[in-house]
Amino acid sequence: MATFNRKSARVRLHRRIRKKISGTAARPRLSIFFSGKHVYAQVIDDDAGKTLVSAATTEEKIVGKSKGGANRVSAELVGKAIAERLLSKKVENVVFDRGGFQYHGKVKALADAAREGGLKF
């Protein structure tokens, strides 16, 4: 009898999503990841293989505003930071890659904060 492993299920789902989603110079991919303690987001141009900007709760600027943990508040802070940094590079259209996570809770909070920051997806 095989046991259900949440992480491997998420990775399998993420692989399936990545078959359809790819970032270009015109519309880079906004990729997110949640560990137990931190929230990470990066904007990637898959054609060039380059990360344009990134933001995470491991940074001192963001850590100071959040009480810690990978929660909705810290996800919103990362979403706002990633939008601000990407708009400074004159890019506003992105493709959202939810990384196999359900579009609910923290993922939705990060996406909504990025949209409020000026990103379009």
Side-chain angles (χ1 to χ4, degrees):
M1 182 172 152
T3 60
F4 180 75
N5 184 345
R6 183 183 277 193
K7 183 178 179 186
S8 65
R10 185 193 68 78
V11 170
R12 219 173 37 247
L13 184 59
H14 189 212
R15 274 198 210 113
R16 194 176 344 146
I17 292 168
R18 285 285 289 121
K19 287 179 187 175
K20 299 173 188 172
I21 294 176
S22 180
T24 62
R27 276 189 84 183
R29 176 171 56 98
L30 171 58
S31 177
I32 62 170
F33 178 72
F34 296 95
S35 71
K37 290 184 177 182
H38 295 288
V39 178
Y40 304 89
Q42 56 182 340
V43 179
I44 305 161
D45 178 0
D46 289 313
D47 290 344
K50 302 260 183 194
T51 298
L52 303 176
V53 294
S54 65
T57 54
T58 56
E59 300 171 14
E60 288 185 20
K61 292 179 184 177
I62 298 173
V63 171
K65 297 176 185 173
S66 168
K67 296 224 174 181
N71 54 21
R72 281 187 184 188
V73 175
S74 54
E76 287 175 6
L77 293 172
V78 170
K80 287 177 187 172
I82 202 87
E84 180 183 306
R85 293 174 189 179
L86 194 59
L87 288 175
S88 69
K89 293 207 172 219
K90 309 254 190 291
V91 178
E92 62 180 26
N93 292 321
V94 295
V95 178
F96 188 64
D97 176 9
R98 60 190 173 89
F101 297 101
Q102 265 190 338
Y103 189 84
H104 180 74
K106 298 182 277 192
V107 177
K108 187 175 186 307
L110 190 146
D112 290 343
R115 283 189 187 105
E116 285 174 20
L119 294 184
K120 294 177 184 164
F121 56 93

